[in-house]
Amino acid sequence: KDSNDNIASIFTELHPSISQSQSLSDNLFSIQSGIASTSILSLIKNKTKPKSSTVAAVDRSTSSFELRKRLERKEEELKTLKVVCNDLLHGKDEFVSGAIDIELSLRQKAMGVQAAFAQLGEERDSLMAQLKEANDAAKKMQEKLDCVERERDLATDKSNALQEDCVGIKSNLDTVQQNYTDS
């Protein structure tokens, strides 16, 4: 009975509409983490121009051609980074959505199992009650059978005693008849 209660307690903690995956996602991808969807989207859309202090820090001996090449490489890196961030956001959203769907499906199935488990418990209790009634009825029938067997044994003993009496009486009757015919 204790193991049944333990199994039942596991299911009572589940609720089909509360997602632990969503809660985990909310914690992992929160604004404070820096990887929230809104934070990444704002980085992707941000087109801030370089500050003048950064430009001033460039060595004066660097040619404008070299600076353009470096700028082009950085712009390519930025484009790649934006594509990667977009893919990351899309993948994160798909993962979270899939995990939530799977979790809720499993929770609903677990609730179904819990209901079936409860129904089986009720059926078991009903069958145990029927078995107890059948055992009680079998016990009463056995007692009646024992009583009938005792009565049969008494009747058999009485019949055997009467039969012996009859044999003795017949023997006496034969003797009396013989004496009567002889006289």
Side-chain angles (χ1 to χ4, degrees):
K1 189 80 176 174
D2 289 335
S3 65
N4 293 344
D5 292 339
N6 290 340
I7 292 171
S9 72
I10 292 170
F11 290 118
T12 56
E13 296 171 5
L14 298 178
H15 191 278
S17 64
I18 298 173
S19 172
Q20 294 300 315
S21 296
Q22 182 65 53
S23 176
L24 179 63
S25 170
D26 292 344
N27 290 336
L28 286 176
F29 302 109
S30 67
I31 297 291
Q32 293 84 8
S33 70
I35 57 173
S37 298
T38 54
S39 300
I40 294 174
L41 285 172
S42 69
L43 285 175
I44 293 170
K45 293 178 182 176
N46 191 2
K47 295 183 178 181
T48 58
K49 297 186 179 181
K51 297 179 183 173
S52 58
S53 63
T54 309
V55 174
V58 174
D59 186 8
R60 299 258 183 225
S61 64
T62 309
S63 69
S64 65
F65 176 75
E66 215 177 287
L67 287 175
R68 269 192 228 114
K69 282 289 191 190
R70 283 173 54 191
L71 183 60
E72 286 175 12
R73 278 195 310 264
K74 293 296 179 185
E75 285 177 355
E76 282 300 314
E77 288 176 8
L78 182 60
K79 285 179 187 177
T80 303
L81 182 59
K82 285 182 179 183
V83 168
V84 168
C85 286
N86 274 326
D87 290 346
L88 173 67
L89 282 175
H90 181 69
K92 176 203 67 114
D93 292 341
E94 278 187 31
F95 172 76
V96 170
S97 175
I100 291 169
D101 291 346
I102 290 169
E103 178 188 357
L104 292 180
S105 172
L106 289 175
R107 284 179 178 269
Q108 289 170 347
K109 288 178 183 177
M111 297 298 282
V113 168
Q114 179 185 13
F117 183 77
Q119 184 179 5
L120 288 174
E122 290 172 6
E123 288 179 19
R124 182 184 60 90
D125 292 344
S126 172
L127 289 173
M128 292 300 282
Q130 289 176 0
L131 178 63
K132 184 180 182 310
E133 289 173 9
N135 284 339
D136 290 345
K139 186 177 179 182
K140 287 179 184 177
M141 291 175 114
Q142 184 63 44
E143 288 172 358
K144 286 181 182 179
L145 178 64
D146 291 343
C147 184
V148 167
E149 285 177 345
R150 278 192 301 271
E151 288 177 7
R152 182 201 64 201
D153 290 343
L154 287 173
T156 301
D157 291 345
K158 190 174 184 179
S159 171
N160 288 340
L162 288 174
Q163 204 171 18
E164 287 176 12
D165 286 348
C166 280
V167 168
I169 291 173
K170 274 186 180 180
S171 170
N172 287 343
L173 180 62
D174 286 342
T175 307
V176 167
Q177 279 180 344
Q178 187 65 31
N179 287 340
Y180 179 73
T181 31
D182 286 345
S183 37

